[in-house]
Coordinates of all heavy atoms in Angstrom, one line a residue:
L126 N -21.0 17.8 -13.3 CA -21.6 18.8 -14.4 C -22.7 18.2 -15.2 O -23.4 18.9 -15.9 CB -20.5 19.4 -15.3 CG -19.3 20.2 -14.6 CD1 -18.4 20.6 -15.6 CD2 -20.0 21.5 -14.0
G127 N -22.9 16.8 -15.1 CA -23.9 16.2 -15.9 C -23.5 15.9 -17.3 O -24.5 15.5 -18.1
T128 N -22.3 16.0 -17.6 CA -21.9 15.7 -19.0 C -21.7 14.1 -19.3 O -21.5 13.7 -20.3 CB -20.7 16.4 -19.4 OG1 -19.6 16.0 -18.6 CG2 -20.8 17.8 -19.4
G129 N -21.9 13.4 -18.1 CA -21.8 11.9 -18.4 C -20.5 11.3 -18.7 O -19.5 11.7 -17.9
T130 N -20.2 10.5 -19.6 CA -19.0 9.8 -19.9 C -18.3 10.5 -20.8 O -18.1 10.2 -22.0 CB -19.4 8.4 -20.2 OG1 -20.2 8.5 -21.4 CG2 -20.1 7.6 -19.2
V131 N -17.5 11.6 -20.4 CA -16.7 12.3 -21.3 C -15.5 11.4 -21.8 O -15.2 11.5 -22.9 CB -16.2 13.5 -20.7 CG1 -15.2 14.3 -21.4 CG2 -17.4 14.4 -20.3
L132 N -15.0 10.7 -20.9 CA -13.8 10.0 -21.2 C -14.0 8.5 -21.4 O -13.1 7.6 -21.4 CB -12.7 10.0 -20.0 CG -12.3 11.4 -19.7 CD1 -11.5 11.5 -18.5 CD2 -11.6 12.1 -20.9
A133 N -15.3 8.1 -21.5 CA -15.7 6.7 -21.6 C -14.9 5.9 -22.8 O -14.4 4.8 -22.5 CB -17.2 6.4 -21.7
G134 N -15.0 6.4 -24.0 CA -14.4 5.7 -24.9 C -12.9 5.6 -25.0 O -12.3 4.6 -25.3
D135 N -12.3 6.7 -24.4 CA -10.9 6.8 -24.4 C -10.2 6.1 -23.2 O -9.1 5.7 -23.3 CB -10.5 8.2 -24.4 CG -9.0 8.5 -24.6 OD1 -8.4 7.9 -25.5 OD2 -8.5 9.5 -23.9
F136 N -11.0 5.9 -22.2 CA -10.4 5.3 -21.0 C -10.0 3.9 -21.3 O -8.8 3.5 -20.8 CB -11.4 5.4 -19.7 CG -10.9 4.9 -18.4 CD1 -10.0 5.6 -17.8 CD2 -11.3 3.6 -18.0 CE1 -9.4 5.1 -16.6 CE2 -10.7 3.3 -16.9 CZ -9.9 4.0 -16.1
G137 N -10.7 3.1 -21.8 CA -10.3 1.7 -22.1 C -9.1 1.6 -22.9 O -8.1 0.8 -22.7
D138 N -9.0 2.4 -23.9 CA -7.8 2.4 -24.8 C -6.6 2.9 -24.0 O -5.5 2.4 -24.3 CB -7.9 3.5 -26.0 CG -9.0 3.0 -26.9 OD1 -9.2 1.9 -27.0 OD2 -9.6 3.9 -27.6
R139 N -6.7 3.9 -23.1 CA -5.6 4.3 -22.3 C -5.1 3.2 -21.3 O -4.0 3.0 -21.2 CB -6.0 5.6 -21.5 CG -6.0 6.7 -22.4 CD -6.0 8.0 -21.8 NE -6.1 8.1 -20.3 CZ -6.9 8.8 -19.7 NH1 -8.0 9.5 -20.3 NH2 -6.9 8.9 -18.4
V140 N -6.0 2.3 -20.7 CA -5.7 1.3 -19.8 C -4.9 0.2 -20.7 O -3.8 -0.3 -20.2 CB -6.9 0.7 -19.1 CG1 -6.6 -0.6 -18.5 CG2 -7.4 1.8 -18.1
E141 N -5.4 0.0 -21.9 CA -4.8 -1.0 -22.8 C -3.3 -0.6 -23.1 O -2.5 -1.3 -23.1 CB -5.6 -1.2 -24.0 CG -5.0 -2.2 -25.0 CD -5.8 -2.4 -26.3 OE1 -6.8 -1.6 -26.4 OE2 -5.5 -3.1 -27.1
H142 N -3.3 0.7 -23.5 CA -1.8 1.2 -23.8 C -0.9 1.1 -22.6 O 0.2 0.9 -22.8 CB -2.1 2.6 -24.3 CG -0.8 3.3 -24.8 ND1 -0.1 2.7 -25.9 CD2 0.0 4.3 -24.3 CE1 1.0 3.4 -26.2 NE2 1.1 4.4 -25.2
R143 N -1.4 1.4 -21.5 CA -0.5 1.5 -20.3 C 0.0 0.1 -19.9 O 1.1 -0.1 -19.7 CB -1.4 2.1 -19.1 CG -0.4 2.2 -17.8 CD -1.2 2.5 -16.5 NE -1.8 1.3 -16.1 CZ -3.1 1.3 -15.7 NH1 -3.9 2.4 -15.6 NH2 -3.7 0.1 -15.2
L144 N -1.1 -1.0 -20.0 CA -0.6 -2.3 -19.8 C 0.3 -2.8 -20.9 O 1.2 -3.6 -20.6 CB -1.9 -3.1 -19.8 CG -2.8 -3.1 -18.4 CD1 -4.0 -3.8 -18.6 CD2 -2.0 -3.5 -17.3
D145 N 0.1 -2.4 -22.1 CA 1.1 -2.6 -23.2 C 2.4 -2.3 -23.0 O 3.4 -2.9 -23.2 CB 0.6 -2.2 -24.6 CG 1.3 -2.7 -25.7 OD1 1.8 -3.7 -25.7 OD2 1.5 -1.8 -26.5
R146 N 2.6 -0.9 -22.6 CA 3.9 -0.3 -22.3 C 4.5 -1.1 -21.1 O 5.7 -1.2 -21.2 CB 3.7 1.1 -21.9 CG 3.6 2.1 -23.1 CD 3.7 3.5 -22.7 NE 3.3 3.8 -21.4 CZ 2.3 4.5 -21.0 NH1 1.3 4.9 -22.0 NH2 2.0 4.7 -19.8
R147 N 3.7 -1.3 -20.1 CA 4.2 -2.1 -18.9 C 4.8 -3.4 -19.3 O 6.0 -3.9 -18.9 CB 3.2 -2.3 -17.9 CG 3.5 -3.0 -16.7 CD 2.4 -3.0 -15.7 NE 2.7 -3.9 -14.5 CZ 1.7 -4.4 -13.8 NH1 0.5 -4.2 -14.0 NH2 2.1 -5.2 -12.8
G148 N 4.0 -4.1 -20.1 CA 4.6 -5.6 -20.6 C 5.8 -5.3 -21.4 O 6.8 -6.2 -21.4
D149 N 5.9 -4.4 -22.2 CA 7.1 -4.0 -23.1 C 8.3 -3.8 -22.2 O 9.4 -4.3 -22.5 CB 6.8 -2.8 -24.0 CG 5.9 -3.3 -25.2 OD1 5.6 -4.4 -25.3 OD2 5.3 -2.3 -25.8
R150 N 8.1 -2.9 -21.1 CA 9.2 -2.6 -20.3 C 9.7 -3.9 -19.6 O 11.0 -4.1 -19.5 CB 8.8 -1.6 -19.3 CG 8.8 -0.2 -19.7 CD 8.8 0.8 -18.7 NE 7.7 0.5 -17.8 CZ 6.4 1.1 -17.8 NH1 6.1 1.9 -18.8 NH2 5.4 0.8 -16.9
I151 N 8.8 -4.8 -19.0 CA 9.2 -6.0 -18.4 C 10.0 -6.8 -19.3 O 10.9 -7.4 -19.0 CB 8.0 -6.6 -17.8 CG1 7.5 -5.8 -16.7 CG2 8.3 -8.0 -17.3 CD1 6.1 -6.3 -16.1
E152 N 9.4 -6.9 -20.5 CA 10.1 -7.9 -21.5 C 11.5 -7.4 -21.8 O 12.4 -8.2 -21.9 CB 9.2 -8.0 -22.8 CG 9.8 -8.9 -23.8 CD 9.0 -8.8 -25.2 OE1 8.2 -7.9 -25.3 OE2 9.3 -9.6 -26.0
Q153 N 11.6 -6.1 -22.0 CA 12.9 -5.6 -22.3 C 13.9 -5.8 -21.2 O 15.0 -6.1 -21.4 CB 12.7 -4.1 -22.7 CG 14.0 -3.4 -23.1 CD 13.9 -1.9 -23.3 OE1 12.9 -1.3 -22.9 NE2 14.8 -1.3 -24.0
R154 N 13.4 -5.5 -20.0 CA 14.3 -5.7 -18.7 C 14.8 -7.1 -18.7 O 15.9 -7.4 -18.3 CB 13.5 -5.3 -17.5 CG 14.4 -4.9 -16.4 CD 13.8 -4.2 -15.2 NE 12.5 -4.8 -14.9 CZ 11.4 -4.4 -14.7 NH1 11.1 -3.2 -15.2 NH2 10.3 -5.0 -14.4
L155 N 13.9 -8.1 -18.8 CA 14.2 -9.4 -18.8 C 15.1 -9.9 -20.0 O 16.1 -10.6 -19.7 CB 13.0 -10.4 -18.7 CG 12.2 -10.3 -17.4 CD1 10.9 -11.1 -17.5 CD2 13.1 -10.8 -16.2
D156 N 14.9 -9.4 -21.1 CA 15.9 -9.7 -22.1 C 17.3 -9.0 -21.9 O 18.2 -9.8 -22.1 CB 15.4 -9.1 -23.5 CG 14.2 -9.8 -24.1 OD1 14.0 -11.1 -23.8 OD2 13.6 -9.3 -25.0
Q157 N 17.3 -7.9 -21.4 CA 18.6 -7.3 -21.1 C 19.4 -8.1 -19.9 O 20.6 -8.4 -20.0 CB 18.5 -5.9 -20.7 CG 18.2 -5.0 -21.7 CD 17.9 -3.5 -21.2 OE1 17.6 -3.3 -19.9 NE2 17.6 -2.7 -22.1
R158 N 18.7 -8.7 -19.0 CA 19.1 -9.4 -17.8 C 19.8 -10.7 -18.4 O 20.9 -11.1 -18.0 CB 18.0 -9.7 -16.8 CG 18.4 -10.4 -15.6 CD 17.5 -10.6 -14.7 NE 17.8 -11.4 -13.5 CZ 16.9 -12.1 -12.9 NH1 15.6 -12.0 -13.0 NH2 17.3 -12.9 -11.9
G159 N 19.0 -11.3 -19.3 CA 19.4 -12.6 -19.9 C 20.7 -12.3 -20.8 O 21.5 -13.2 -20.7
D160 N 20.7 -11.3 -21.5 CA 21.9 -11.0 -22.3 C 23.1 -10.7 -21.5 O 24.2 -11.2 -21.8 CB 21.6 -9.7 -23.2 CG 20.6 -10.1 -24.4 OD1 20.5 -11.3 -24.7 OD2 20.1 -9.1 -24.9
R161 N 23.0 -10.0 -20.3 CA 24.1 -9.7 -19.4 C 24.6 -11.0 -18.8 O 25.8 -11.3 -18.8 CB 23.6 -8.8 -18.2 CG 23.7 -7.5 -18.6 CD 23.5 -6.6 -17.3 NE 22.5 -7.0 -16.4 CZ 21.3 -6.5 -16.4 NH1 20.8 -5.6 -17.2 NH2 20.4 -7.0 -15.5
I162 N 23.7 -12.0 -18.4 CA 24.2 -13.2 -17.8 C 24.8 -14.1 -18.9 O 25.8 -14.7 -18.6 CB 22.9 -14.0 -17.2 CG1 22.4 -13.2 -16.0 CG2 23.4 -15.3 -16.9 CD1 21.1 -13.8 -15.4
D163 N 24.2 -14.0 -20.2 CA 24.8 -14.9 -21.2 C 26.3 -14.4 -21.6 O 27.2 -15.2 -21.7 CB 23.9 -14.8 -22.5 CG 24.3 -15.8 -23.5 OD1 25.0 -16.8 -23.2 OD2 24.2 -15.5 -24.7
R164 N 26.4 -13.1 -21.6 CA 27.7 -12.4 -21.9 C 28.7 -12.8 -20.8 O 29.9 -13.1 -21.1 CB 27.7 -11.0 -22.1 CG 27.2 -10.5 -23.4 CD 27.4 -9.1 -23.7 NE 26.8 -8.2 -22.7 CZ 25.6 -7.7 -22.7 NH1 24.8 -8.0 -23.7 NH2 25.1 -7.0 -21.8

């Protein structure tokens, strides 16, 4: 449509947020695993 970069400013923030959530999930899963083994 020629409107250019409609999502340009928001796209980088969304990728950053997605990677942040992914890291949080991995960290939480590993913490839970360590707690289970320790118990």
Side-chain angles (χ1 to χ4, degrees):
L126 296 175
T128 56
T130 56
V131 171
L132 301 171
D135 192 36
F136 184 70
D138 293 332
R139 289 197 353 236
V140 170
E141 180 182 3
H142 185 65
R143 189 189 73 219
L144 289 172
D145 184 38
R146 283 192 330 254
R147 181 177 170 202
D149 291 343
R150 281 192 312 265
I151 291 171
E152 180 184 17
Q153 182 181 22
R154 199 170 52 237
L155 286 173
D156 282 344
Q157 290 172 349
R158 182 178 173 201
D160 290 341
R161 277 194 314 267
I162 292 170
D163 188 30
R164 281 194 304 269

